[in-house]
Amino acid sequence: MFQRRGSVVGSEEQRQVRRDQAADELNRHGNRQDGQRVVTRLADGFTLLRTSLYERVHRDVEQVLGRDSMFLPISEVKAEKVSKTEIELYQIAVASQMNRRRRYVGADTEWFWQWLARLRLGRAATDPLVIRRIGEYLALDEDHGRLAFTDVLAKALPESRRAPLVLFRLVPLAIQIVTAQAFGDRPTAEALRRQQVDILPAITDCRTCRGQLLESGTHCPPCGNPVWRFQWLTAAD
Ligand SMILES: [Zn+2]
C-alpha cells in the first residue's frame, strides 16, 4: 500500500558501499550490532523526505498555483541538485541535534554529524563549505534553523516561497521522526507525530493511512504522509 522511492544521488552501487561503511562505523563506534538496520532506516527515510519535499516546493506549487515566469530557474537541473543538497544539509543538522538531545549514539556530537554527512553526501562531506554550513545549523535553535533553511531553499528554488508555511513546520518533525524510528525509539516518534497533528489536524483525515506513522522510507500516495500534499496542507478544518 505504501510506496518506496529511489535516490537520485550517486549510483546504486556507490550508495550501497556508503551504507555498508556507515553500518560498520556505527557498530564499531557505538559498540552495537544493529548498524545495518539503523542505516537503512535513516537512508531510506531521508531519501524519501528529500524527494517528497522537493516535489512539494517545486512541482506541487507550480501545479496548484501555476508557473510564475518571474521564478523560472536558469537551469532546472542545477536548481534541483542545489535544492536537494540544501535539504540534505538541513536533515543532517536536525537529526544530529536530535541525537544530541536523545543520546542515541553516545555523547560525541561531532562524530554523529560527520558520520551522517558521510552517509548522505559521500565525499562532499569533507568539503569545507559543507562542514561550515552544517556547523552554522547546529549553532541555531529549532526555529532559527527552520528559518535559515527556508531562506536558503528559496534562493535555490524561488517558487518554494509560495509553498504553504505549515509545510516548513512539519518537515523538521518529520526528520526527527525518521531519526527516532531508525534508533527504534517508537514513543518519541509517536509523540512527534502528535505534534504534527496539533499543527495540521487534517493529517488524520486520510482514509488510507489515518495519519499513522509509516515505516521509514514509505509514503501514503493519497495524502503524501510523511510530507503531505498541497491539498492536505491547505485543508481547513
Ligand atoms: Zn494517507
mmCIF file of all heavy atoms in Angstrom, residues 103-126:
data_model
loop_
_atom_site.group_PDB
_atom_site.id
_atom_site.type_symbol
_atom_site.label_atom_id
_atom_site.label_comp_id
_atom_site.label_asym_id
_atom_site.label_seq_id
_atom_site.Cartn_x
_atom_site.Cartn_y
_atom_site.Cartn_z
ATOM 1 N N ARG A 103 20.767 11.244 22.826
ATOM 2 C CA ARG A 103 21.940 10.381 23.057
ATOM 3 C C ARG A 103 21.748 8.974 22.486
ATOM 4 O O ARG A 103 22.020 7.982 23.162
ATOM 5 C CB ARG A 103 22.240 10.274 24.565
ATOM 6 C CG ARG A 103 22.484 11.603 25.243
ATOM 7 C CD ARG A 103 23.911 12.041 24.969
ATOM 8 N NE ARG A 103 24.174 13.399 25.434
ATOM 9 C CZ ARG A 103 24.845 13.685 26.535
ATOM 10 N NH1 ARG A 103 25.311 12.725 27.277
ATOM 11 N NH2 ARG A 103 25.054 14.938 26.866
ATOM 12 N N TYR A 104 21.255 8.916 21.252
ATOM 13 C CA TYR A 104 21.126 7.590 20.627
ATOM 14 C C TYR A 104 22.495 6.970 20.402
ATOM 15 O O TYR A 104 22.690 5.768 20.554
ATOM 16 C CB TYR A 104 20.397 7.690 19.283
ATOM 17 C CG TYR A 104 18.949 8.085 19.387
ATOM 18 C CD1 TYR A 104 18.430 9.106 18.597
ATOM 19 C CD2 TYR A 104 18.092 7.425 20.261
ATOM 20 C CE1 TYR A 104 17.091 9.467 18.679
ATOM 21 C CE2 TYR A 104 16.757 7.778 20.356
ATOM 22 C CZ TYR A 104 16.263 8.800 19.561
ATOM 23 O OH TYR A 104 14.950 9.161 19.652
ATOM 24 N N VAL A 105 23.453 7.812 19.988
ATOM 25 C CA VAL A 105 24.818 7.329 19.781
ATOM 26 C C VAL A 105 25.754 8.155 20.640
ATOM 27 O O VAL A 105 26.247 9.191 20.224
ATOM 28 C CB VAL A 105 25.248 7.450 18.300
ATOM 29 C CG1 VAL A 105 26.604 6.772 18.099
ATOM 30 C CG2 VAL A 105 24.223 6.826 17.378
ATOM 31 N N GLY A 106 25.974 7.694 21.841
ATOM 32 C CA GLY A 106 26.935 8.314 22.747
ATOM 33 C C GLY A 106 26.800 9.814 22.897
ATOM 34 O O GLY A 106 25.806 10.418 22.502
ATOM 35 N N ALA A 107 27.840 10.431 23.464
ATOM 36 C CA ALA A 107 27.792 11.856 23.757
ATOM 37 C C ALA A 107 28.633 12.664 22.767
ATOM 38 O O ALA A 107 28.656 13.877 22.820
ATOM 39 C CB ALA A 107 28.305 12.098 25.173
ATOM 40 N N ASP A 108 29.310 11.971 21.849
ATOM 41 C CA ASP A 108 30.207 12.653 20.921
ATOM 42 C C ASP A 108 29.399 13.206 19.741
ATOM 43 O O ASP A 108 29.164 12.520 18.748
ATOM 44 C CB ASP A 108 31.276 11.663 20.428
ATOM 45 C CG ASP A 108 32.324 12.342 19.566
ATOM 46 O OD1 ASP A 108 32.136 13.528 19.217
ATOM 47 O OD2 ASP A 108 33.318 11.687 19.237
ATOM 48 N N THR A 109 28.963 14.460 19.859
ATOM 49 C CA THR A 109 28.069 15.015 18.837
ATOM 50 C C THR A 109 28.806 15.243 17.516
ATOM 51 O O THR A 109 28.222 15.133 16.450
ATOM 52 C CB THR A 109 27.449 16.342 19.311
ATOM 53 O OG1 THR A 109 28.511 17.204 19.709
ATOM 54 C CG2 THR A 109 26.529 16.121 20.478
ATOM 55 N N GLU A 110 30.104 15.564 17.597
ATOM 56 C CA GLU A 110 30.883 15.764 16.369
ATOM 57 C C GLU A 110 30.866 14.487 15.530
ATOM 58 O O GLU A 110 30.674 14.526 14.327
ATOM 59 C CB GLU A 110 32.348 16.095 16.720
ATOM 60 C CG GLU A 110 32.540 17.468 17.305
ATOM 61 C CD GLU A 110 32.493 18.546 16.230
ATOM 62 O OE1 GLU A 110 33.313 18.480 15.305
ATOM 63 O OE2 GLU A 110 31.632 19.434 16.329
ATOM 64 N N TRP A 111 31.089 13.386 16.190
ATOM 65 C CA TRP A 111 31.158 12.115 15.470
ATOM 66 C C TRP A 111 29.849 11.860 14.716
ATOM 67 O O TRP A 111 29.866 11.480 13.549
ATOM 68 C CB TRP A 111 31.429 10.948 16.431
ATOM 69 C CG TRP A 111 31.596 9.660 15.677
ATOM 70 C CD1 TRP A 111 32.751 9.160 15.168
ATOM 71 C CD2 TRP A 111 30.554 8.743 15.285
ATOM 72 N NE1 TRP A 111 32.509 7.989 14.482
ATOM 73 C CE2 TRP A 111 31.172 7.721 14.536
ATOM 74 C CE3 TRP A 111 29.167 8.691 15.475
ATOM 75 C CZ2 TRP A 111 30.458 6.647 13.989
ATOM 76 C CZ3 TRP A 111 28.450 7.628 14.933
ATOM 77 C CH2 TRP A 111 29.087 6.620 14.209
ATOM 78 N N PHE A 112 28.734 12.106 15.360
ATOM 79 C CA PHE A 112 27.459 11.748 14.751
ATOM 80 C C PHE A 112 27.198 12.518 13.468
ATOM 81 O O PHE A 112 26.844 11.931 12.445
ATOM 82 C CB PHE A 112 26.307 11.956 15.741
ATOM 83 C CG PHE A 112 24.988 11.459 15.207
ATOM 84 C CD1 PHE A 112 24.616 10.132 15.366
ATOM 85 C CD2 PHE A 112 24.133 12.308 14.521
ATOM 86 C CE1 PHE A 112 23.406 9.656 14.861
ATOM 87 C CE2 PHE A 112 22.918 11.846 14.013
ATOM 88 C CZ PHE A 112 22.567 10.519 14.191
ATOM 89 N N TRP A 113 27.362 13.848 13.507
ATOM 90 C CA TRP A 113 27.020 14.574 12.279
ATOM 91 C C TRP A 113 27.998 14.291 11.161
ATOM 92 O O TRP A 113 27.615 14.253 9.988
ATOM 93 C CB TRP A 113 26.796 16.062 12.528
ATOM 94 C CG TRP A 113 27.992 16.953 12.771
ATOM 95 C CD1 TRP A 113 28.382 17.475 13.962
ATOM 96 C CD2 TRP A 113 28.922 17.456 11.799
ATOM 97 N NE1 TRP A 113 29.508 18.252 13.803
ATOM 98 C CE2 TRP A 113 29.859 18.263 12.481
ATOM 99 C CE3 TRP A 113 29.054 17.294 10.418
ATOM 100 C CZ2 TRP A 113 30.910 18.905 11.838
ATOM 101 C CZ3 TRP A 113 30.112 17.937 9.774
ATOM 102 C CH2 TRP A 113 31.012 18.732 10.482
ATOM 103 N N GLN A 114 29.279 14.052 11.514
ATOM 104 C CA GLN A 114 30.246 13.734 10.466
ATOM 105 C C GLN A 114 29.939 12.364 9.850
ATOM 106 O O GLN A 114 30.034 12.176 8.633
ATOM 107 C CB GLN A 114 31.672 13.762 11.038
ATOM 108 C CG GLN A 114 32.109 15.190 11.345
ATOM 109 C CD GLN A 114 33.384 15.258 12.169
ATOM 110 O OE1 GLN A 114 33.989 14.227 12.475
ATOM 111 N NE2 GLN A 114 33.786 16.454 12.537
ATOM 112 N N TRP A 115 29.539 11.459 10.677
ATOM 113 C CA TRP A 115 29.157 10.117 10.207
ATOM 114 C C TRP A 115 27.933 10.189 9.286
ATOM 115 O O TRP A 115 27.902 9.601 8.205
ATOM 116 C CB TRP A 115 28.866 9.231 11.427
ATOM 117 C CG TRP A 115 28.220 7.918 11.122
ATOM 118 C CD1 TRP A 115 28.827 6.792 10.642
ATOM 119 C CD2 TRP A 115 26.832 7.604 11.272
ATOM 120 N NE1 TRP A 115 27.903 5.792 10.480
ATOM 121 C CE2 TRP A 115 26.664 6.257 10.864
ATOM 122 C CE3 TRP A 115 25.713 8.319 11.708
ATOM 123 C CZ2 TRP A 115 25.433 5.617 10.874
ATOM 124 C CZ3 TRP A 115 24.481 7.683 11.727
ATOM 125 C CH2 TRP A 115 24.343 6.350 11.307
ATOM 126 N N LEU A 116 26.941 10.953 9.734
ATOM 127 C CA LEU A 116 25.711 11.068 8.931
ATOM 128 C C LEU A 116 25.993 11.801 7.622
ATOM 129 O O LEU A 116 25.428 11.457 6.571
ATOM 130 C CB LEU A 116 24.628 11.802 9.749
ATOM 131 C CG LEU A 116 23.224 11.813 9.176
ATOM 132 C CD1 LEU A 116 22.717 10.403 8.887
ATOM 133 C CD2 LEU A 116 22.266 12.528 10.145
ATOM 134 N N ALA A 117 26.873 12.803 7.667
ATOM 135 C CA ALA A 117 27.231 13.524 6.443
ATOM 136 C C ALA A 117 27.923 12.594 5.444
ATOM 137 O O ALA A 117 27.672 12.664 4.241
ATOM 138 C CB ALA A 117 28.122 14.716 6.781
ATOM 139 N N ARG A 118 28.782 11.700 5.934
ATOM 140 C CA ARG A 118 29.431 10.748 5.019
ATOM 141 C C ARG A 118 28.395 9.825 4.396
ATOM 142 O O ARG A 118 28.438 9.534 3.196
ATOM 143 C CB ARG A 118 30.484 9.900 5.765
ATOM 144 C CG ARG A 118 31.765 10.640 6.096
ATOM 145 C CD ARG A 118 32.886 9.666 6.510
ATOM 146 N NE ARG A 118 32.608 8.951 7.750
ATOM 147 C CZ ARG A 118 32.817 9.450 8.972
ATOM 148 N NH1 ARG A 118 33.295 10.665 9.114
ATOM 149 N NH2 ARG A 118 32.541 8.733 10.052
ATOM 150 N N LEU A 119 27.436 9.397 5.192
ATOM 151 C CA LEU A 119 26.391 8.504 4.673
ATOM 152 C C LEU A 119 25.556 9.211 3.607
ATOM 153 O O LEU A 119 25.243 8.646 2.570
ATOM 154 C CB LEU A 119 25.480 8.041 5.828
ATOM 155 C CG LEU A 119 24.201 7.286 5.426
ATOM 156 C CD1 LEU A 119 24.539 5.957 4.745
ATOM 157 C CD2 LEU A 119 23.300 7.037 6.641
ATOM 158 N N ARG A 120 25.185 10.462 3.867
ATOM 159 C CA ARG A 120 24.263 11.153 2.969
ATOM 160 C C ARG A 120 24.938 11.861 1.800
ATOM 161 O O ARG A 120 24.340 12.042 0.757
ATOM 162 C CB ARG A 120 23.424 12.181 3.762
ATOM 163 C CG ARG A 120 22.561 11.567 4.852
ATOM 164 C CD ARG A 120 21.664 10.481 4.300
ATOM 165 N NE ARG A 120 20.670 11.006 3.357
ATOM 166 C CZ ARG A 120 19.985 10.221 2.523
ATOM 167 N NH1 ARG A 120 20.209 8.929 2.490
ATOM 168 N NH2 ARG A 120 19.092 10.734 1.711
ATOM 169 N N LEU A 121 26.181 12.310 1.997
ATOM 170 C CA LEU A 121 26.812 13.149 0.969
ATOM 171 C C LEU A 121 28.057 12.525 0.348
ATOM 172 O O LEU A 121 28.604 13.077 -0.597
ATOM 173 C CB LEU A 121 27.188 14.512 1.574
ATOM 174 C CG LEU A 121 26.046 15.304 2.222
ATOM 175 C CD1 LEU A 121 26.608 16.505 2.978
ATOM 176 C CD2 LEU A 121 25.036 15.761 1.171
ATOM 177 N N GLY A 122 28.524 11.408 0.888
ATOM 178 C CA GLY A 122 29.732 10.784 0.356
ATOM 179 C C GLY A 122 30.936 11.699 0.514
ATOM 180 O O GLY A 122 31.121 12.315 1.565
ATOM 181 N N ARG A 123 31.716 11.845 -0.563
ATOM 182 C CA ARG A 123 32.950 12.623 -0.471
ATOM 183 C C ARG A 123 32.717 14.103 -0.172
ATOM 184 O O ARG A 123 33.573 14.775 0.387
ATOM 185 C CB ARG A 123 33.759 12.479 -1.765
ATOM 186 C CG ARG A 123 34.701 11.290 -1.723
ATOM 187 C CD ARG A 123 35.535 11.220 -2.972
ATOM 188 N NE ARG A 123 34.670 11.013 -4.152
ATOM 189 C CZ ARG A 123 35.128 10.791 -5.374
ATOM 190 N NH1 ARG A 123 36.422 10.778 -5.599
ATOM 191 N NH2 ARG A 123 34.296 10.588 -6.375
ATOM 192 N N ALA A 124 31.552 14.615 -0.552
ATOM 193 C CA ALA A 124 31.243 16.031 -0.308
ATOM 194 C C ALA A 124 31.216 16.343 1.191
ATOM 195 O O ALA A 124 31.274 17.507 1.596
ATOM 196 C CB ALA A 124 29.908 16.398 -0.942
ATOM 197 N N ALA A 125 31.144 15.301 2.013
ATOM 198 C CA ALA A 125 31.083 15.504 3.471
ATOM 199 C C ALA A 125 32.338 16.181 4.011
ATOM 200 O O ALA A 125 32.313 16.764 5.086
ATOM 201 C CB ALA A 125 30.868 14.170 4.183
ATOM 202 N N THR A 126 33.454 16.104 3.251
ATOM 203 C CA THR A 126 34.695 16.731 3.719
ATOM 204 C C THR A 126 34.901 18.114 3.096
ATOM 205 O O THR A 126 35.900 18.775 3.372
ATOM 206 C CB THR A 126 35.919 15.844 3.396
ATOM 207 O OG1 THR A 126 35.915 15.581 1.980
ATOM 208 C CG2 THR A 126 35.880 14.542 4.160
#
